[in-house]
Amino acid sequence: AQSVTQPDIHITVSEGASLELRCNYSYGATPYLFWYVQSPGQGLQLLLKYFSGDTLVQGIKGFEAEFKRSQSSFNLRKPSVHWSDAAEYFCALYKTSYDKVIFGPGTSLSVIP
Amino acid sequence: GAVVSQHPSRVICKSGTSVKIECRSLDFQATTMFWYRQFPKQSLMLMATSNEGSKATYEQGVEKDKFLINHASLTLSTLTVTSAHPEDSSFYICSARAGTGHTEAFFGQGTRLTVV
């Protein structure tokens, strides 16, 4: 069973518009959740993470994410997208019992002028 | 954040030869390193987890004799693709973690392997 799903394979937004990337997870224990960004041919950069506490998490580059346990979601948002935000975005879940990070399938973001 | 250096960034090798990829944590000691494989337009698939001084733990379906992982020191792990074939062509990414559990792991830049 897929532990992390990202319903949107590809999203296109206009520069300056708001953005929301969806992520849903399936895990019985306490979820530790991450959002990463990957530029073409590059490794991954951590945008933000949720371990506990405040369910609204602030990250780098103006991104934020909200953890909603009732919806098993951890959606990523940005109020105003810049052309440089075009990249692949991965939601990830750390599975405590297996000591491993499971990545979602990714969402490709395109930004149009 | 901490820096993880992966080398080489690109490599082309002939079918049947072996290729070694290095993953170094430059400013921290990595007790655990992870190796991933990423196909075009796809997500990262965990291949194996290595702890310094121990044998690597491979994911189901990953051939341990083909993908040799060594984590001999707290700052270096290597992945050797032995007897490479064209189907091994892929993007390989390592990550390194200083602590345990859910502490953040830092990623290398990735290695594009092309087997011809």
Side-chain angles (χ1 to χ4, degrees):
Chain A
Q2 184 78 317
S3 297
V4 182
T5 57
Q6 294 178 246
D8 305 304
I9 296 173
H10 185 256
I11 284 182
T12 300
V13 298
S14 298
E15 191 169 17
S18 63
L19 170 71
E20 182 169 32
L21 301 182
R22 296 182 292 166
C23 172
N24 292 96
Y25 68 91
S26 174
Y27 190 52
T30 301
Y32 299 102
L33 297 157
F34 307 83
W35 273 100
Y36 289 92
V37 61
Q38 183 182 34
S39 297
Q42 299 293 315
L44 275 69
Q45 182 181 25
L46 179 69
L47 289 175
L48 47 78
K49 58 191 176 188
Y50 171 78
F51 289 168
S52 64
D54 195 344
T55 56
L56 185 61
V57 181
Q58 301 298 319
I60 62 171
K61 304 185 178 185
F63 286 94
E64 67 176 26
E66 186 170 13
F67 171 68
K68 293 185 177 180
R69 185 183 295 275
S70 61
Q71 298 178 20
S72 297
S73 69
F74 188 55
N75 295 347
L76 181 71
R77 301 194 293 248
K78 186 169 184 177
S80 178
V81 171
H82 188 262
W83 64 266
S84 60
D85 292 325
E88 190 81 18
Y89 290 80
F90 293 98
C91 181
L93 166 72
Y94 173 74
K95 286 190 150 183
T96 310
S97 52
Y98 297 100
D99 189 29
K100 64 177 70 171
V101 175
I102 306 299
F103 286 85
T107 296
S108 177
L109 174 65
S110 296
V111 180
I112 55 177
Chain B
V3 179
V4 175
S5 176
Q6 193 171 335
H7 179 80
S9 57
R10 291 178 178 272
V11 59
I12 300 174
C13 71
K14 291 185 177 180
S15 187
T17 63
S18 296
V19 174
K20 180 183 285 187
I21 302 170
E22 293 187 349
C23 180
R24 293 181 183 273
S25 55
L26 298 186
D27 50 4
F28 68 100
Q29 293 186 324
T31 53
T32 307
M33 288 190 174
F34 304 88
W35 287 95
Y36 297 85
R37 182 172 180 176
Q38 185 180 30
F39 291 101
K41 305 287 187 185
Q42 294 191 26
S43 188
L44 283 73
M45 300 301 296
L46 180 64
M47 299 175 66
T49 302
S50 72
N51 292 295
E52 184 266 338
S54 304
K55 287 185 178 180
T57 301
Y58 290 81
E59 294 299 299
Q60 191 172 8
V62 178
E63 300 176 60
K64 60 182 180 182
D65 294 330
K66 180 165 190 63
F67 299 100
L68 300 179
I69 292 172
N70 183 280
H71 191 169
S73 78
L74 285 171
T75 59
L76 174 65
S77 176
T78 61
L79 167 66
T80 301
V81 182
T82 62
S83 186
H85 291 282
E87 57 266 30
D88 298 324
S89 298
S90 191
F91 194 59
Y92 294 87
I93 306 177
C94 72
S95 71
R97 185 178 71 188
T100 59
H102 59 272
T103 53
E104 180 181 348
F106 299 92
F107 285 80
Q109 311 95 309
T111 297
R112 171 73 59 195
L113 169 63
T114 303
V115 184
V116 298

